[in-house]
Amino acid sequence: MNKAVDLSKELKLVRIGNSTGVILPKELLARLNVAAGDSLSYSETPSGLSLNTHDDEFQTQMNEARRVMKTYRNALRELAK
């Protein structure tokens, strides 16, 4: 079972060229199992933002689901009634 992590720690924003980056502590990097150069994804949740490791397979599946929903929009609307 995963150990609870104190999420109230402060993160530092830094200027990187014309962008802004955030410094993630090594404990958080270890928990996410990521290192410099890896990709992360975020999503908005009712309680705030969620940060996760990027999953190419999941992204491919979501793109296909969006395509199907767009193609069959009318049929899905009728089924929802």
Coordinates of all heavy atoms in Angstrom, one line a residue:
M1 N 0.8 -1.2 0.0 CA 0.0 0.0 0.0 C 0.9 1.2 0.0 O 1.9 1.3 0.7 CB -0.9 0.0 1.2 CG -1.8 1.1 1.3 SD -2.9 0.9 2.7 CE -4.4 1.3 1.9
N2 N 0.5 2.3 -0.8 CA 1.3 3.5 -0.8 C 1.2 4.3 0.4 O 0.1 4.4 1.0 CB 0.8 4.3 -2.0 CG 1.3 3.7 -3.3 OD1 2.2 3.0 -3.4 ND2 0.6 4.1 -4.4
K3 N 2.3 4.8 0.9 CA 2.3 5.6 2.1 C 1.8 7.0 1.7 O 2.0 7.6 0.7 CB 3.7 5.7 2.6 CG 3.8 6.1 4.0 CD 5.3 5.9 4.5 CE 6.2 6.9 3.9 NZ 7.5 6.9 4.6
A4 N 1.0 7.6 2.6 CA 0.5 9.0 2.4 C 1.6 10.0 2.4 O 2.6 9.8 3.1 CB -0.5 9.3 3.5
V5 N 1.5 11.0 1.5 CA 2.5 12.0 1.4 C 1.9 13.3 1.8 O 0.8 13.6 1.5 CB 3.0 12.1 -0.1 CG1 3.9 13.2 -0.3 CG2 3.6 10.8 -0.5
D6 N 2.7 14.1 2.5 CA 2.3 15.4 2.9 C 2.3 16.3 1.7 O 3.3 16.7 1.2 CB 3.2 16.0 4.0 CG 2.8 17.4 4.5 OD1 1.7 17.8 4.1 OD2 3.6 18.0 5.2
L7 N 1.1 16.7 1.2 CA 1.0 17.5 0.0 C 1.0 19.0 0.3 O 0.8 19.8 -0.7 CB -0.3 17.1 -0.7 CG -0.4 15.7 -1.2 CD1 -1.7 15.4 -1.9 CD2 0.8 15.3 -2.2
S8 N 1.2 19.4 1.5 CA 1.2 20.8 1.8 C 2.5 21.5 1.6 O 2.7 22.6 2.0 CB 0.7 21.0 3.2 OG 1.6 20.4 4.1
K9 N 3.5 20.8 1.1 CA 4.8 21.4 0.9 C 4.8 22.4 -0.2 O 4.1 22.3 -1.2 CB 5.9 20.3 0.6 CG 6.1 19.4 1.8 CD 7.2 18.4 1.6 CE 7.3 17.6 2.8 NZ 8.3 16.6 2.7
E10 N 5.6 23.4 -0.1 CA 5.7 24.5 -1.1 C 6.6 24.1 -2.2 O 7.6 23.5 -2.1 CB 6.2 25.8 -0.4 CG 6.2 27.0 -1.2 CD 6.7 28.2 -0.4 OE1 6.0 28.5 0.6 OE2 7.7 28.8 -0.8
L11 N 6.2 24.5 -3.5 CA 7.0 24.2 -4.7 C 7.5 25.6 -5.2 O 6.7 26.6 -5.1 CB 6.2 23.5 -5.7 CG 5.7 22.1 -5.4 CD1 4.8 21.6 -6.5 CD2 6.8 21.2 -5.1
K12 N 8.7 25.6 -5.7 CA 9.3 26.8 -6.2 C 9.1 27.0 -7.7 O 9.4 26.1 -8.4 CB 10.8 26.8 -5.8 CG 11.5 28.0 -6.2 CD 11.3 29.2 -5.3 CE 12.3 30.3 -5.6 NZ 12.1 31.4 -4.8
L13 N 8.7 28.1 -8.2 CA 8.6 28.4 -9.6 C 9.8 29.2 -10.0 O 10.2 30.1 -9.3 CB 7.3 29.3 -9.9 CG 6.0 28.6 -9.6 CD1 4.9 29.6 -9.8 CD2 5.8 27.4 -10.5
V14 N 10.4 28.9 -11.1 CA 11.6 29.5 -11.6 C 11.5 29.9 -13.1 O 10.8 29.2 -13.8 CB 12.9 28.6 -11.4 CG1 13.1 28.4 -9.9 CG2 12.7 27.3 -12.2
R15 N 12.1 30.9 -13.5 CA 12.1 31.4 -14.9 C 13.1 30.5 -15.7 O 14.2 30.3 -15.2 CB 12.6 32.8 -14.9 CG 12.8 33.4 -16.3 CD 11.7 33.9 -17.1 NE 10.8 34.8 -16.5 CZ 9.5 34.9 -16.9 NH1 9.1 34.2 -17.9 NH2 8.7 35.8 -16.4
I16 N 12.6 30.0 -16.8 CA 13.4 29.2 -17.7 C 13.2 29.8 -19.1 O 12.2 29.5 -19.7 CB 13.0 27.7 -17.7 CG1 13.1 27.1 -16.3 CG2 13.8 26.9 -18.6 CD1 12.5 25.7 -16.1
G17 N 14.2 30.6 -19.5 CA 14.0 31.3 -20.7 C 12.8 32.2 -20.7 O 12.6 33.0 -19.8
N18 N 11.9 32.0 -21.7 CA 10.6 32.8 -21.7 C 9.5 32.1 -21.0 O 8.4 32.5 -21.0 CB 10.2 33.1 -23.1 CG 11.1 34.0 -23.8 OD1 11.8 34.9 -23.2 ND2 11.2 33.9 -25.1
S19 N 9.8 30.9 -20.4 CA 8.8 30.1 -19.7 C 9.0 30.1 -18.2 O 10.0 30.7 -17.7 CB 8.9 28.7 -20.2 OG 8.6 28.6 -21.6
T20 N 8.1 29.5 -17.5 CA 8.3 29.3 -16.0 C 8.2 27.8 -15.7 O 7.4 27.1 -16.3 CB 7.1 30.0 -15.3 OG1 7.2 31.4 -15.6 CG2 7.3 29.9 -13.8
G21 N 9.1 27.3 -14.9 CA 9.1 25.9 -14.5 C 8.9 25.8 -13.0 O 8.9 26.7 -12.3
V22 N 8.7 24.6 -12.6 CA 8.5 24.3 -11.1 C 9.5 23.3 -10.7 O 9.9 22.4 -11.4 CB 7.0 23.8 -10.8 CG1 6.8 22.4 -11.5 CG2 6.8 23.7 -9.4
I23 N 10.1 23.5 -9.5 CA 11.1 22.6 -9.0 C 10.4 21.5 -8.2 O 9.6 21.9 -7.2 CB 12.1 23.4 -8.0 CG1 12.7 24.5 -8.8 CG2 13.1 22.4 -7.4 CD1 13.6 24.1 -9.9
L24 N 10.5 20.3 -8.5 CA 9.9 19.2 -7.8 C 11.0 18.5 -6.9 O 12.1 18.2 -7.4 CB 9.4 18.1 -8.8 CG 8.3 18.6 -9.8 CD1 7.9 17.5 -10.7 CD2 7.1 19.1 -9.1
P25 N 10.6 18.3 -5.6 CA 11.6 17.7 -4.7 C 11.9 16.3 -5.1 O 11.1 15.6 -5.7 CB 10.9 17.8 -3.4 CG 9.5 18.3 -3.6 CD 9.4 18.7 -5.0
K26 N 13.1 15.8 -4.7 CA 13.5 14.5 -5.1 C 12.5 13.4 -4.6 O 12.3 12.4 -5.2 CB 14.9 14.2 -4.7 CG 15.2 14.2 -3.2 CD 16.6 13.9 -2.9 CE 16.9 14.0 -1.4 NZ 18.3 13.7 -1.1
E27 N 11.9 13.6 -3.4 CA 10.9 12.7 -2.9 C 9.7 12.5 -3.8 O 9.2 11.4 -4.0 CB 10.5 13.1 -1.5 CG 11.5 13.2 -0.4 CD 12.3 14.5 -0.4 OE1 11.8 15.5 -1.0 OE2 13.4 14.5 0.2
L28 N 9.3 13.6 -4.4 CA 8.1 13.6 -5.3 C 8.5 12.9 -6.6 O 7.8 12.1 -7.1 CB 7.6 15.0 -5.5 CG 6.4 15.1 -6.4 CD1 5.2 14.3 -5.9 CD2 6.0 16.6 -6.5
L29 N 9.7 13.2 -7.1 CA 10.2 12.5 -8.3 C 10.3 11.0 -8.1 O 9.9 10.3 -9.0 CB 11.6 13.1 -8.7 CG 11.6 14.6 -9.1 CD1 13.0 15.0 -9.3 CD2 10.8 14.8 -10.4
A30 N 10.8 10.6 -6.9 CA 10.9 9.2 -6.6 C 9.5 8.6 -6.5 O 9.3 7.4 -7.0 CB 11.7 9.0 -5.3
R31 N 8.6 9.2 -5.9 CA 7.2 8.7 -5.8 C 6.6 8.6 -7.2 O 5.8 7.6 -7.4 CB 6.4 9.6 -4.9 CG 5.0 9.1 -4.6 CD 4.4 9.8 -3.5 NE 3.0 9.4 -3.3 CZ 2.6 8.4 -2.6 NH1 3.4 7.6 -2.0 NH2 1.3 8.2 -2.5
L32 N 6.8 9.5 -8.1 CA 6.3 9.4 -9.4 C 7.1 8.5 -10.3 O 6.7 8.2 -11.4 CB 6.2 10.8 -10.1 CG 5.2 11.8 -9.5 CD1 5.5 13.2 -10.0 CD2 3.8 11.4 -9.9
N33 N 8.3 8.1 -9.9 CA 9.2 7.3 -10.6 C 9.6 7.9 -11.9 O 9.5 7.3 -13.0 CB 8.6 5.9 -10.8 CG 9.6 4.9 -11.3 OD1 10.8 5.0 -11.0 ND2 9.2 3.9 -12.0
V34 N 10.0 9.2 -11.9 CA 10.4 10.0 -13.0 C 11.7 10.6 -12.8 O 12.1 10.8 -11.6 CB 9.3 11.0 -13.4 CG1 8.0 10.4 -13.9 CG2 9.1 12.0 -12.3
A35 N 12.4 11.1 -13.8 CA 13.6 11.8 -13.7 C 13.6 12.9 -14.8 O 12.7 13.0 -15.6 CB 14.8 10.8 -14.0
A36 N 14.6 13.7 -14.8 CA 14.7 14.8 -15.7 C 14.6 14.3 -17.1 O 15.2 13.3 -17.5 CB 16.1 15.5 -15.5
G37 N 13.8 14.9 -18.0 CA 13.6 14.5 -19.3 C 12.3 13.7 -19.5 O 11.9 13.5 -20.7
D38 N 11.8 13.1 -18.5 CA 10.6 12.3 -18.6 C 9.4 13.2 -18.7 O 9.4 14.4 -18.5 CB 10.3 11.4 -17.3 CG 11.3 10.3 -17.2 OD1 12.0 10.0 -18.2 OD2 11.5 9.7 -16.1
S39 N 8.2 12.7 -19.2 CA 7.0 13.5 -19.4 C 6.0 13.2 -18.3 O 5.9 12.1 -17.8 CB 6.4 13.2 -20.7 OG 7.2 13.5 -21.8
L40 N 5.3 14.3 -17.9 CA 4.2 14.2 -16.9 C 3.0 14.7 -17.6 O 3.0 15.5 -18.5 CB 4.5 15.0 -15.6 CG 5.7 14.6 -14.8 CD1 5.9 15.6 -13.7 CD2 5.5 13.2 -14.2
S41 N 1.8 14.2 -17.1 CA 0.6 14.8 -17.5 C -0.2 15.3 -16.3 O 0.1 14.8 -15.2 CB -0.2 13.8 -18.3 OG -0.5 12.6 -17.5
Y42 N -1.1 16.2 -16.5 CA -1.9 16.7 -15.5 C -3.3 16.7 -15.9 O -3.6 16.8 -17.1 CB -1.4 18.1 -15.0 CG -1.7 19.2 -16.0 CD1 -2.9 19.9 -15.9 CD2 -0.8 19.5 -17.0 CE1 -3.1 20.9 -16.8 CE2 -1.1 20.5 -17.9 CZ -2.2 21.2 -17.8 OH -2.5 22.2 -18.7
S43 N -4.2 16.7 -14.9 CA -5.6 16.8 -15.2 C -6.3 17.6 -14.1 O -5.8 17.6 -13.0 CB -6.3 15.4 -15.4 OG -6.1 14.6 -14.3
E44 N -7.4 18.2 -14.5 CA -8.1 19.0 -13.5 C -9.1 18.1 -12.8 O -9.8 17.3 -13.5 CB -8.8 20.2 -14.1 CG -9.3 21.2 -13.1 CD -9.7 22.5 -13.7 OE1 -9.3 22.7 -14.9 OE2 -10.3 23.3 -13.0
T45 N -9.2 18.1 -11.5 CA -10.1 17.3 -10.7 C -11.0 18.2 -9.9 O -10.6 19.4 -9.7 CB -9.4 16.3 -9.8 OG1 -8.7 17.0 -8.8 CG2 -8.4 15.4 -10.6
P46 N -12.1 17.7 -9.3 CA -12.9 18.6 -8.4 C -12.1 19.2 -7.2 O -12.4 20.3 -6.8 CB -14.0 17.7 -7.9 CG -14.1 16.6 -9.0 CD -12.7 16.4 -9.5
S47 N -11.0 18.5 -6.8 CA -10.3 18.9 -5.7 C -9.0 19.7 -6.1 O -8.2 20.1 -5.2 CB -9.9 17.8 -4.8 OG -9.1 16.8 -5.5
G48 N -8.8 19.9 -7.4 CA -7.6 20.7 -7.8 C -7.0 20.0 -9.0 O -7.7 19.5 -9.9
L49 N -5.6 20.0 -9.1 CA -4.9 19.4 -10.2 C -4.3 18.1 -9.8 O -3.9 17.9 -8.7 CB -3.8 20.3 -10.7 CG -4.3 21.6 -11.4 CD1 -3.1 22.5 -11.7 CD2 -5.1 21.4 -12.6
S50 N -4.3 17.1 -10.7 CA -3.6 15.8 -10.5 C -2.4 15.7 -11.4 O -2.5 16.0 -12.6 CB -4.7 14.7 -10.8 OG -4.1 13.5 -10.7
L51 N -1.3 15.3 -10.9 CA -0.1 15.1 -11.6 C 0.3 13.7 -11.7 O 0.3 13.0 -10.7 CB 1.1 15.9 -10.9 CG 2.4 16.0 -11.6 CD1 2.3 16.7 -12.9 CD2 3.4 16.6 -10.7
N52 N 0.5 13.2 -12.9 CA 0.7 11.7 -13.2 C 1.8 11.5 -14.2 O 2.1 12.4 -15.0 CB -0.6 11.0 -13.7 CG -1.7 11.2 -12.7 OD1 -1.6 10.6 -11.6 ND2 -2.7 11.9 -13.1
T53 N 2.4 10.3 -14.2 CA 3.3 10.0 -15.2 C 2.6 9.9 -16.6 O 1.4 9.5 -16.6 CB 4.1 8.7 -15.0 OG1 3.1 7.7 -14.8 CG2 4.9 8.8 -13.7
H54 N 3.2 10.4 -17.6 CA 2.5 10.4 -18.9 C 2.5 8.9 -19.5 O 3.5 8.2 -19.4 CB 3.3 11.3 -19.9 CG 2.7 11.4 -21.2 ND1 1.5 12.1 -21.4 CD2 3.0 10.8 -22.4 CE1 1.2 12.0 -22.7 NE2 2.1 11.2 -23.3
D55 N 1.3 8.5 -20.0 CA 1.1 7.2 -20.5 C 0.7 7.3 -22.0 O -0.4 7.7 -22.3 CB 0.0 6.5 -19.7 CG -0.2 5.0 -20.1 OD1 0.4 4.6 -21.1 OD2 -0.9 4.4 -19.3
D56 N 1.6 7.0 -22.9 CA 1.4 7.1 -24.3 C 0.2 6.2 -24.7 O -0.6 6.6 -25.6 CB 2.6 6.7 -25.1 CG 3.7 7.8 -25.1 OD1 3.3 9.0 -24.9 OD2 4.9 7.5 -25.2
E57 N 0.1 5.0 -24.2 CA -0.9 4.1 -24.5 C -2.3 4.6 -24.1 O -3.3 4.6 -24.9 CB -0.7 2.7 -23.9 CG -1.8 1.7 -24.3 CD -1.6 0.3 -23.7 OE1 -0.4 0.0 -23.2 OE2 -2.5 -0.5 -23.6
F58 N -2.4 5.2 -22.9 CA -3.6 5.8 -22.5 C -4.0 7.0 -23.4 O -5.2 7.1 -23.8 CB -3.5 6.3 -21.0 CG -4.8 7.0 -20.6 CD1 -5.9 6.3 -20.2 CD2 -4.8 8.4 -20.4 CE1 -7.0 6.9 -19.8 CE2 -5.9 9.0 -20.0 CZ -7.0 8.3 -19.7
Q59 N -3.0 7.8 -23.8 CA -3.3 8.9 -24.6 C -3.8 8.5 -26.0 O -4.7 9.1 -26.6 CB -2.0 9.8 -24.8 CG -2.3 11.1 -25.5 CD -3.3 12.0 -24.7 OE1 -3.1 12.1 -23.4 NE2 -4.3 12.5 -25.3
T60 N -3.3 7.4 -26.5 CA -3.7 6.8 -27.8 C -5.2 6.4 -27.7 O -6.0 6.6 -28.6 CB -2.8 5.7 -28.2 OG1 -1.5 6.1 -28.4 CG2 -3.3 5.0 -29.5
Q61 N -5.5 5.7 -26.6 CA -6.9 5.2 -26.4 C -7.8 6.4 -26.2 O -8.9 6.3 -26.8 CB -6.9 4.4 -25.1 CG -6.2 3.0 -25.2 CD -6.1 2.3 -23.9 OE1 -6.4 2.8 -22.9 NE2 -5.7 1.0 -24.0
M62 N -7.4 7.5 -25.5 CA -8.3 8.6 -25.4 C -8.5 9.3 -26.7 O -9.6 9.7 -27.0 CB -7.7 9.6 -24.4 CG -7.8 9.2 -23.0 SD -9.5 8.8 -22.4 CE -10.2 10.4 -22.6
N63 N -7.5 9.4 -27.6 CA -7.7 10.0 -28.9 C -8.6 9.2 -29.7 O -9.5 9.8 -30.4 CB -6.3 10.1 -29.6 CG -5.4 11.2 -29.0 OD1 -5.9 12.1 -28.3 ND2 -4.1 11.0 -29.2
E64 N -8.6 7.9 -29.7 CA -9.5 7.0 -30.4 C -10.9 7.2 -29.9 O -11.9 7.2 -30.6 CB -9.0 5.5 -30.3 CG -9.9 4.6 -31.1 CD -9.9 4.8 -32.6 OE1 -9.1 5.5 -33.1 OE2 -10.9 4.3 -33.2
A65 N -11.1 7.2 -28.5 CA -12.4 7.4 -28.0 C -13.0 8.8 -28.4 O -14.2 8.8 -28.7 CB -12.3 7.4 -26.4
R66 N -12.2 9.8 -28.4 CA -12.7 11.1 -28.9 C -13.1 11.0 -30.4 O -14.1 11.6 -30.8 CB -11.6 12.2 -28.7 CG -11.4 12.6 -27.3 CD -10.4 13.7 -27.2 NE -10.1 14.0 -25.8 CZ -9.0 13.6 -25.1 NH1 -8.1 13.0 -25.8 NH2 -8.8 13.8 -23.9
R67 N -12.3 10.3 -31.2 CA -12.7 10.2 -32.6 C -14.0 9.4 -32.8 O -14.9 9.9 -33.5 CB -11.6 9.4 -33.3 CG -11.8 9.3 -34.9 CD -10.9 8.3 -35.5 NE -11.2 7.0 -35.2 CZ -12.2 6.2 -35.6 NH1 -13.1 6.8 -36.4 NH2 -12.4 5.0 -35.2
V68 N -14.2 8.3 -32.0 CA -15.4 7.6 -32.1 C -16.6 8.4 -31.6 O -17.7 8.4 -32.2 CB -15.3 6.3 -31.2 CG1 -16.7 5.6 -31.0 CG2 -14.3 5.3 -31.9
M69 N -16.4 9.2 -30.5 CA -17.5 10.0 -30.0 C -17.9 11.1 -31.0 O -19.1 11.4 -31.1 CB -17.1 10.6 -28.6 CG -17.1 9.6 -27.5 SD -16.8 10.3 -25.9 CE -15.1 10.8 -26.0
K70 N -17.0 11.6 -31.7 CA -17.3 12.7 -32.7 C -18.0 12.0 -33.9 O -19.0 12.6 -34.4 CB -16.0 13.3 -33.1 CG -16.2 14.5 -34.1 CD -14.9 15.2 -34.4 CE -15.1 16.3 -35.4 NZ -13.9 17.0 -35.8
T71 N -17.5 10.9 -34.3 CA -18.1 10.2 -35.5 C -19.5 9.8 -35.2 O -20.4 9.9 -36.0 CB -17.3 9.0 -35.9 OG1 -15.9 9.4 -36.1 CG2 -17.8 8.3 -37.1
Y72 N -19.8 9.2 -34.0 CA -21.1 8.7 -33.7 C -21.9 9.6 -32.7 O -22.6 9.1 -31.9 CB -21.0 7.3 -33.1 CG -20.4 6.3 -34.1 CD1 -19.0 6.0 -34.0 CD2 -21.1 5.9 -35.2 CE1 -18.5 5.1 -35.0 CE2 -20.6 5.0 -36.1 CZ -19.3 4.6 -36.0 OH -18.7 3.8 -37.0
R73 N -21.6 10.9 -32.7 CA -22.2 11.9 -31.8 C -23.7 11.7 -31.8 O -24.3 11.7 -30.7 CB -21.8 13.3 -32.2 CG -22.4 14.4 -31.4 CD -21.9 15.8 -31.7 NE -22.0 16.0 -33.2 CZ -21.1 16.4 -34.0 NH1 -19.8 16.6 -33.5 NH2 -21.3 16.6 -35.3
N74 N -24.4 11.7 -32.9 CA -25.8 11.7 -33.0 C -26.4 10.4 -32.4 O -27.3 10.4 -31.6 CB -26.4 11.9 -34.4 CG -26.1 13.2 -34.9 OD1 -25.9 14.2 -34.1 ND2 -25.9 13.4 -36.2
A75 N -25.8 9.2 -32.7 CA -26.2 8.0 -32.2 C -26.0 7.9 -30.6 O -26.9 7.4 -29.9 CB -25.4 6.8 -32.8
L76 N -24.9 8.4 -30.2 CA -24.7 8.4 -28.7 C -25.7 9.4 -28.0 O -26.1 9.0 -26.9 CB -23.2 8.9 -28.4 CG -22.2 7.9 -28.9 CD1 -20.8 8.5 -28.7 CD2 -22.2 6.6 -28.0
R77 N -26.0 10.5 -28.6 CA -27.0 11.4 -28.1 C -28.4 10.7 -27.9 O -29.0 10.8 -26.9 CB -27.1 12.6 -28.9 CG -28.0 13.7 -28.3 CD -28.0 15.0 -29.1 NE -26.7 15.6 -29.1 CZ -26.1 16.0 -30.2 NH1 -26.6 15.9 -31.4 NH2 -24.9 16.5 -30.2
E78 N -28.8 9.9 -29.0 CA -30.0 9.2 -28.9 C -30.0 8.1 -27.9 O -31.0 7.9 -27.2 CB -30.3 8.6 -30.3 CG -30.8 9.6 -31.3 CD -32.0 10.3 -31.0 OE1 -33.0 9.7 -30.5 OE2 -32.1 11.6 -31.1
L79 N -28.9 7.4 -27.7 CA -28.8 6.4 -26.7 C -28.8 6.9 -25.3 O -29.3 6.2 -24.4 CB -27.5 5.6 -26.9 CG -27.4 4.6 -28.1 CD1 -26.0 4.1 -28.4 CD2 -28.4 3.5 -28.0
A80 N -28.4 8.1 -25.2 CA -28.4 8.8 -23.8 C -29.8 9.2 -23.3 O -30.0 9.4 -22.2 CB -27.4 10.0 -23.8
K81 N -30.7 9.2 -24.3 CA -32.1 9.6 -23.9 C -32.8 8.6 -23.1 O -32.6 7.5 -23.1 CB -32.9 10.0 -25.1 CG -32.4 11.2 -25.8 CD -33.3 11.5 -27.0 CE -32.8 12.8 -27.7 NZ -33.6 13.1 -28.9

